[in-house]
Amino acid sequence: MRREGLRVLLSHWRRAPVQLVTLVLGLALATALWSGVQAINAEARASYDAAAATLGEGTFAQVVAADGGDMALEDYVALRRAGWLVSAVVEGRLNGVRIVGLDPLTAPGGLGPVELDGGAEVGRFLGGEGQVFGTAEALAALGHVAPEKVLSPDVAPMTVITDLSVAWPLLGMEGRVSRMIVADVQPLGRPALAEVAEGLSLRPAQAAGDVDRLTDSFHLNLTAFGALSFAVGLFIVHGAVGLAFEQRRPLVRTLRALGMPLRLIIGLMAAELLALALLAGGIGVALGYVIAAALLPDVAATLSGLYGAQVSGALELRPVWWLSGLGIAVLGTAAASAGALWQIARMPVLASARPRAWAMARGRGRMVILLGAIGLLVLAGALSAAGSGLVAAFGALAALLIGAALALPSVLDLALRLGARGATRPVAEWFWADTRQQLPGLSLALMALLLAMAANVGVSTMVSSFRLTFTGFLDQRLASELYVSVDSGAEGSRLEAFLEGRAEAVLPIVWVDRSVAGIPAEIYGTRDHATYRDNWRFLDAVEAPWDAVFSGEGAVVNEQLARRAGLALGDEIAVGPDAALPVVGIVGDYGNPVGQVIVALPLFEELYPEAEATSFGLRTDDPEALSEALREFGVPEGDTIDQAALKRFSLDIFERTFTVTGALNVLTLSVAAFAILMSLLTLAALRLPQLAPVWALGLTRAELGRLELLRAVLLAALTGLMAVPLGLALAWVLLAQVNVAAFGWRLPMYLFPLDYGRLLVFAVAAGALAALWPARRLARTPPGVLLKVFSNER
Amino acid sequence: MNVRVLLVFLWPSVVAAQGFAGLGTTVEGYDDPVPDPVFDFPADHGAHPGYRIEWWYVTANLTAEDGRDMGLQWTLFRTALAPGGDAAAQVWMGHAAVTTAEAHFAVERFSRGDVPTAGVTAAPLKAFIDDWAMAGETLDEVRLTASAPEFAYDVTLRAEGPLILHGEGGYSVKSDEGQASYYYSQPFYAVEGVLSLPGEDVAVTGSAWLDREWSSQPLSETQEGWDWFSLSFEGGDKLMGFRLREGGEEGYTYATWIGAGGEELVPYARAFEAEALERATVAGRQVPVRWRVRLPERGVDVEVTALNPEAWMGLSFPYWEGPVRVTGSHEGRGYLEMTGYE
């Protein structure tokens, strides 16, 4: 009996393949977006974890040189012999790869690629030529080195781990220590750090863990997007499942009348749904992998561009996300179909099974839904007004979006009622009335469209606002007309002499990488020139900050450094050995992950005589003539860059960072359009009993088809109109609350009416496209089919 | 003492599956102990990097002012990762422990040979790893210090007797196949100092026993571990005895009888007997914590009981080491070490 029952139930899908496709594709798309986002997040988190686990960054306190440089091995020995449980680390770069040399004997447990009790490995790691551990990418970039290369996927991207004794000669840092990892538990009777060695400072564990905290907000952004997409997908699934169950009511009635137990029927239906969910989830996870693999390089670029966090560009198949993808597909299906199963369970054996009742019943709960929507919108307002922080901001976003989606049917109904008031001719009256009657069946798809469009409006507003601000920032920052780079400091000096009198000003671009206030940063030496006074705008500054800088009595820091190190005006920062300056200005610095400190060039040269200027900004009234002169001087053409090219290059980098949100936007919108198409297709067959009388009254099939198309366009346009204000509200929350927490930058909000207009057109086009096929089908319905409506019992 | 702990040997180039901590394997290129050694003191108190393993091993039975029994351990191990005596190929490991009837604390330290955070100089004597040290003008009077998160100690050791050479003049055989080590002791230290325990500093007095041993392959491949006893009897006589277990059975045994004052010194091969009377579950394993120990030639038939059965050294290379009480034909106290109980 079980087999027969299953065959009967499944026969429904054979008769309604479109429904099956709707169900599977809707669920698969939703799962794809969700698991794609999860895959990206999982990959990025794994990269951070690898960094933390292999380098001890963030999880352990560190001893570092107070002036930000490296330390003598003797300092390390002195600390150990005083009882400090510290472990030496030497770090540097070779061929673009970060080399981390550590001591496996003293490193806190879990650090490093080899375990002490791992037997034979420790000897090879410590002895002989040694070993370097890294990902394939990092090992390849490292090039030819003496130590044995060992593939280790868990090491942080573009990093290799090796023993101290191997790292010292590789980096040319014999006898030096970059930092020391401090064990969590220390012995009794340990002297203070300052009593043991001078010029060292203790950096607490969390200071280095910024990357995790900063990027959390970015991942929350992505997750929100994934959840939104999944919610849109669930609308589709819910609709499809509800419809399929409704249509199978007569079938269920018949089966039960034939003696099949209700419990068995429910069980079979649940099993069928589970199988469908797993199938769709599998497809979705596979699609998600494709999406993630395509987007990951851009995400990696974003994370490294915005936060300086290294994330591998290659995707690994991690169980955590594909299992979660399958799980959420099953759970989503369960949620979407629980109500329908419940109804079947409660249906009296001989109840009349009128499918249309399903769609009609939707209308009755509208009042309840409207009240819920209003509640949610009020909550959104309260959260954004009173709440603070990322969680409140996202809570407000969620309440706003769901509330607006729930309110959509009522608002549309109101709009249609107003439209009907203006109708005088019978066909027009019928059109409005019929559209209103259609609304319940289409409302889920329209909600999906609303959410997708609002997200699109909101995110594109944020991105465009960001772009405007960033371009303005480039204009003030890239003030020099020409930028030129040479091979060596000596050539740089020669160039400066050559340019004397030819260029209005020569502004060397010279910096050193140092740790400032415990944060990795670049210290720049800057020549006194009006370029800076005229163009740079400060977020916060004392009076005449440049005067203080150029007289060697102050330093300017960028916003990133100020935020991460908690610096305010007047705070002293160490800019070199035995040199500390107060902060006299904080500048906005977009698209740059690293902290920056700007000091006067003479002071810089005194502190870092070894730093050589090989890049220069040139001020001139006649860039072309100066370029010509530079070529004559012997600078290859490629080494001279004009301002416009540099701006283009900077903007390119920036654009990449938002490819991801752009792509997710398009995908979400596609899912919504698909939802409309599927809703219309599934409704089409149900509507025949309503259309047949209108046809019988004299409207041609072609006219009916046109009206059908018009209705879809009208609904899409109305929804699109509603989406714009909703999207703007979304953008405001993103810019005023989420963005500040996520990026640490304050951005003004700009409006882009043309963009919104284009989106509206797109939404209408999507609605029209989705309606085209159902409308055509209607226009070509054989009259016999329409006639049958009258002859059929039902 | 015999083959003590050692561990270290787990490392590279050694097949860890054989014997405790890979001690039972041969590696070409290391120096090997030979019979009839001529020691050169104080130079031989220092390190012998040509040999694979070496240790400076102190255990002390202590009494607090209020009469509580306690024990402490201070050990420095050296192991070579490769033959040749190169400093960079040396790895140092320190173990420190304090045991009372109620508590046992054990910690370890490591140091690489190419960074001077551990080492040994013979004159003046200084054996150290990090802030732990055994230091003095000579071996006759040394200060012993160690610190850990939960304890610390600072005690002075004063020798009241001569150095004792085990085996044949310091050449100590470990198996019938001839594995051997150089092995001498200073069992006559009087101890005075302070133990810092959680919540209290305890002034202690007592006696300590230093073992010095170095070798390149002290165990035969079939030996799995050992039970080692250093016992001090009332009246001043002392007994060092060990048994090497093979295939779960009693294997090679050896004992040195040390008469009071150190004048009388008698080695006994295969005469020492140790029988486990009671086992306790410690760190998930069955470890004997009460023994019957006999040396019939000297009329010794005693029961040896752990002061604290939980004296497990749960470190990178785990073993049991703690103070014991002696009753029976002789009364006294001492230290027990057991390795290879998996």
Side-chain angles (χ1 to χ4, degrees):
Chain A
M1 184 157 68
R2 195 171 293 162
R3 181 182 302 177
E4 282 69 30
L6 196 59
R7 270 181 53 196
V8 170
L9 283 174
L10 288 180
S11 70
H12 170 77
W13 301 116
R14 216 170 39 241
R15 281 189 294 137
V18 171
Q19 254 178 43
L20 182 63
V21 171
T22 310
L23 187 62
V24 172
L25 266 190
L27 194 53
L29 280 178
T31 310
L33 287 179
W34 168 263
S35 62
V37 166
Q38 291 307 309
I40 289 172
N41 283 348
E43 192 65 45
R45 293 242 160 76
S47 288
Y48 310 146
D49 289 349
T54 50
L55 312 176
E57 287 171 341
T59 42
F60 291 96
Q62 316 259 336
V63 170
V64 294
D67 68 9
D70 52 16
M71 299 164 280
L73 185 62
E74 287 71 31
D75 289 340
Y76 168 68
V77 172
L79 276 177
R80 287 290 311 190
R81 293 183 67 165
W84 276 73
L85 294 185
V86 289
S87 186
V89 178
V90 59
E91 283 181 299
R93 285 190 178 273
L94 185 68
N95 300 335
V97 179
R98 181 181 182 193
I99 304 219
V100 180
L102 41 79
D103 175 24
L105 295 178
T106 51
L111 284 191
V114 291
E115 295 289 329
L116 253 194
D117 51 4
E121 294 170 3
V122 179
R124 278 211 300 283
F125 191 75
L126 279 175
E129 298 286 1
Q131 296 174 313
V132 292
F133 286 73
T135 58
E137 196 187 4
L139 292 178
L142 191 58
H144 179 76
V145 291
E148 178 192 355
K149 290 178 176 177
V150 183
L151 192 61
S152 174
D154 291 335
V155 176
M158 288 312 275
T159 303
V160 296
I161 309 291
T162 186
D163 184 59
L164 270 185
S165 64
V166 176
W168 274 325
L170 278 181
L171 297 170
M173 289 178 71
E174 283 90 343
R176 308 301 298 174
V177 173
S178 305
R179 56 188 172 91
M180 305 179 207
I181 300 169
V182 181
D184 287 338
V185 182
Q186 295 284 334
L188 303 174
R190 187 173 48 119
L193 192 61
E195 287 174 34
V196 184
E198 285 181 2
L200 304 186
S201 72
L202 190 63
R203 185 203 296 172
Q206 64 276 19
D210 274 351
V211 160
D212 232 9
R213 200 155 40 77
L214 280 173
T215 51
D216 261 357
S217 49
F218 179 83
H219 294 300
L220 200 53
N221 255 326
L222 279 183
T223 306
F225 239 113
L228 183 65
S229 313
F230 192 77
V232 169
L234 277 194
F235 280 131
I236 303 174
V237 176
H238 188 254
V241 169
L243 200 56
F245 275 53
E246 189 66 30
Q247 288 181 342
R248 285 196 288 185
R249 277 184 165 217
L251 199 135
V252 171
R253 186 188 55 184
T254 310
L255 281 176
R256 287 185 66 187
L258 287 173
M260 181 177 276
L262 177 64
R263 192 177 292 244
L264 179 61
I265 297 176
I266 301 270
L268 287 174
M269 287 182 132
E272 173 197 43
L273 279 175
L274 179 66
L276 282 175
L278 287 176
L279 169 73
I283 298 173
V285 168
L287 276 176
Y289 183 83
V290 173
I291 292 173
L295 291 183
L296 191 60
D298 288 319
V299 171
T302 304
L303 288 170
S304 123
L306 292 181
Y307 306 106
Q310 284 291 319
V311 171
S312 165
L315 191 65
E316 274 185 60
L317 214 55
R318 293 178 198 277
V320 61
W321 66 261
W322 66 257
L323 279 179
S324 88
L326 278 184
I328 200 150
V330 171
L331 283 179
T333 311
S337 54
L341 278 174
W342 177 243
Q343 275 185 0
I344 295 258
R346 284 194 319 174
M347 187 174 78
V349 179
L350 294 175
S352 127
R354 292 181 10 247
R356 197 58 204 153
W358 169 73
M360 306 292 280
R362 289 290 154 111
R364 284 197 285 276
R366 188 177 297 161
M367 208 52 217
V368 180
I369 292 178
L370 183 61
L371 284 177
I374 291 169
L376 280 170
L377 290 174
V378 169
L379 175 68
L383 272 177
S384 63
S388 68
L390 216 53
V391 175
F394 273 102
L397 266 187
L400 175 67
L401 288 174
I402 299 173
L406 292 180
L408 180 70
S410 302
V411 175
L412 285 178
D413 193 59
L414 190 67
L416 292 175
R417 230 182 278 187
L418 289 177
R421 215 174 275 174
T424 49
R425 293 177 37 232
V427 173
E429 277 183 40
W430 171 78
F431 174 78
W432 289 107
D434 187 54
T435 304
R436 275 186 65 198
Q437 215 248 349
Q438 286 266 66
L439 205 50
L442 277 172
S443 61
L444 283 175
L446 292 174
M447 285 181 195
L449 180 67
L450 176 78
L451 290 185
M453 275 201 64
N456 216 315
V457 167
V459 174
S460 71
T461 300
M462 179 183 84
V463 172
S464 302
S465 297
F466 198 168
R467 183 180 292 121
L468 267 189
T469 311
F470 185 63
T471 318
F473 157 76
L474 283 183
D475 283 341
Q476 51 160 308
R477 201 51 79 83
L478 297 179
S480 297
E481 284 74 15
L482 282 181
Y483 292 86
V484 58
S485 56
V486 294
D487 292 335
S488 67
E491 203 174 334
S493 310
R494 222 159 53 77
L495 181 70
E496 280 200 74
F498 170 77
L499 287 170
E500 183 96 42
R502 285 184 170 87
E504 193 183 308
V506 179
L507 307 173
I509 300 168
V510 54
W511 75 94
V512 292
D513 291 319
R514 301 284 288 188
S515 163
V516 174
I519 310 286
E522 296 163 344
I523 300 180
Y524 280 79
T526 304
R527 178 166 289 166
D528 188 355
H529 189 262
T531 300
Y532 302 104
R533 298 175 208 269
D534 294 348
N535 289 294
W536 287 43
R537 263 167 271 155
F538 287 92
L539 299 174
D540 197 7
V542 301
E543 206 166 312
W546 288 116
D547 290 345
V549 169
F550 293 130
S551 59
E553 286 159 8
V556 167
V557 301
N558 65 359
E559 191 182 359
Q560 285 86 322
L561 182 64
R563 280 185 191 277
R564 286 176 205 166
L567 295 175
L569 291 184
D571 290 352
E572 293 241 323
I573 50 172
V575 296
D578 306 322
L581 291 177
V583 173
V584 295
I586 297 170
V587 290
D589 191 4
Y590 307 102
N592 165 34
V594 187
Q596 281 184 1
V597 180
I598 294 158
V599 300
L601 189 59
L603 174 66
F604 180 86
E605 285 170 341
E606 191 182 310
L607 290 173
Y608 305 106
E610 73 283 0
E612 295 176 329
T614 56
S615 297
F616 301 88
L618 309 180
R619 298 308 307 264
T620 173
D621 294 334
D622 189 353
E624 281 179 28
L626 192 58
S627 305
E628 189 59 35
L630 284 169
R631 264 195 297 282
E632 281 166 23
F633 172 75
V635 177
E637 203 155 343
D639 290 351
T640 309
I641 306 171
D642 65 39
Q643 191 191 46
L646 200 55
K647 270 183 196 160
R648 215 162 36 238
F649 174 73
S650 303
L651 278 173
D652 275 354
I653 294 180
F654 166 76
E655 291 297 341
R656 254 197 102 155
T657 66
F658 280 102
T659 313
V660 183
T661 33
L664 285 175
N665 254 334
V666 170
L667 287 170
T668 319
L669 211 52
S670 311
V671 172
F674 179 77
I676 297 180
L677 171 68
M678 290 302 162
S679 300
L680 288 175
L681 279 178
T682 45
L683 281 178
L686 293 176
R687 279 176 38 72
L688 277 185
Q690 288 149 16
L691 291 174
V694 185
W695 170 73
L697 287 172
L699 275 184
T700 64
R701 288 172 296 151
E703 278 169 328
L704 281 177
R706 273 198 296 280
L707 285 177
E708 202 69 12
L709 193 60
L710 184 63
R711 173 180 301 117
V713 168
L714 177 72
L715 288 175
L718 284 176
T719 305
L721 278 177
M722 242 193 99
V724 172
L726 178 62
L728 292 180
L730 175 69
W732 182 84
V733 178
L734 282 173
L735 285 172
Q737 299 185 300
V738 176
N739 205 61
V740 172
F743 298 95
W745 304 327
R746 261 163 230 286
L747 291 170
M749 178 166 160
Y750 299 94
L751 296 182
F752 305 87
L754 272 183
D755 283 0
Y756 312 145
R758 206 165 45 228
L759 259 177
L760 207 53
V761 171
F762 185 84
V764 169
L769 267 178
L772 203 55
W773 185 25
R776 258 177 80 89
R777 273 202 350 182
L778 179 62
R780 295 185 178 182
T781 309
V785 174
L786 288 165
L787 278 174
K788 262 190 227 161
V789 171
F790 299 104
S791 61
N792 279 357
E793 257 184 316
R794 287 189 11 123
Chain B
M1 72 183 60
N2 33 26
V3 216
R4 291 209 75 189
V5 173
L6 333 343
L7 39 140
V8 191
F9 326 57
L10 223 197
W11 313 27
S13 60
V14 176
V15 181
Q18 291 175 327
F20 177 69
L23 276 181
T25 48
T26 311
V27 175
E28 292 287 317
Y30 292 105
D31 295 341
D32 267 325
V34 292
D36 304 321
V38 179
F39 292 113
D40 172 18
F41 296 123
D44 274 327
H45 297 323
H48 302 79
Y51 294 80
R52 230 175 85 203
I53 53 171
E54 180 163 21
W55 52 79
W56 293 256
Y57 211 118
V58 180
T59 53
N61 290 102
L62 305 170
T63 308
E65 282 172 324
D66 60 7
R68 280 179 294 165
D69 276 345
M70 299 182 176
L72 71 75
Q73 177 195 346
W74 186 103
T75 315
L76 181 63
F77 301 99
R78 179 192 61 77
T79 186
L81 299 176
D86 184 13
Q90 310 289 324
V91 171
W92 299 83
M93 177 170 77
H95 284 183
V98 165
T99 311
T100 68
E102 299 83 27
H104 174 78
F105 306 102
V107 292
E108 64 188 340
R109 297 284 181 89
F110 286 96
S111 168
R112 47 196 301 137
D114 55 356
V115 172
T117 45
V120 180
T121 55
L125 181 79
K126 179 160 190 183
F128 72 97
I129 181 164
D130 296 339
D131 56 323
W132 304 357
M134 176 174 72
E137 275 305 305
T138 69
L139 197 67
D140 289 342
E141 183 166 344
V142 296
R143 183 176 164 201
L144 197 65
T145 54
S147 68
E150 290 180 293
F151 72 88
Y153 54 73
D154 186 346
V155 297
T156 305
L157 277 50
R158 212 165 277 113
E160 294 178 343
L163 290 178
I164 299 300
L165 308 183
H166 297 286
E168 292 163 33
Y171 179 77
S172 170
V173 174
K174 299 295 193 248
S175 81
D176 290 332
E177 290 110 75
Q179 273 82 10
S181 64
Y182 291 131
Y183 182 11
Y184 65 85
S185 299
Q186 170 48 272
F188 296 109
Y189 278 129
V191 182
E192 195 176 2
V194 176
L195 296 192
S196 301
L197 294 172
E200 57 173 344
D201 283 353
V202 185
V204 292
T205 54
S207 60
W209 181 307
L210 164 73
D211 269 344
R212 282 277 295 122
E213 187 158 11
W214 63 99
S215 177
S216 291
Q217 191 223 359
L219 283 195
S220 89
E221 288 195 8
T222 55
Q223 292 171 338
E224 297 150 356
W226 57 86
D227 306 303
W228 175 92
F229 300 80
S230 64
L231 308 178
S232 298
F233 302 130
E234 283 170 12
D237 293 339
K238 293 175 190 293
L239 173 67
M240 186 287 291
F242 61 81
R243 134 185 126 132
L244 295 161
R245 299 190 309 277
E246 287 186 56
E249 297 169 13
E250 179 142 330
Y252 186 81
T253 71
Y254 171 87
T256 299
W257 177 265
I258 305 165
E263 299 301 316
E264 185 190 8
L265 200 63
V266 189
Y268 294 95
R270 296 199 157 279
F272 177 80
E273 294 169 28
E275 177 194 354
L277 297 179
E278 181 187 337
R279 289 170 187 262
T281 304
V282 183
R285 336 163 182 231
Q286 290 287 306
V287 178
V289 293
R290 195 160 62 84
W291 292 80
R292 183 183 184 193
V293 167
R294 299 198 302 149
L295 185 61
E297 279 84 345
R298 306 301 304 209
V300 174
D301 186 349
V302 294
E303 229 178 79
V304 173
T305 312
L307 173 68
N308 181 347
E310 302 287 333
W312 183 254
M313 306 289 285
L315 306 174
S316 297
F317 303 93
Y319 57 101
W320 193 101
E321 172 116 27
V324 292
R325 295 190 180 106
V326 182
T327 53
S329 65
H330 297 64
E331 307 274 317
R333 53 188 188 171
Y335 247 78
L336 167 64
E337 173 183 293
M338 299 179 282
T339 69
Y341 287 92
E342 295 303 331

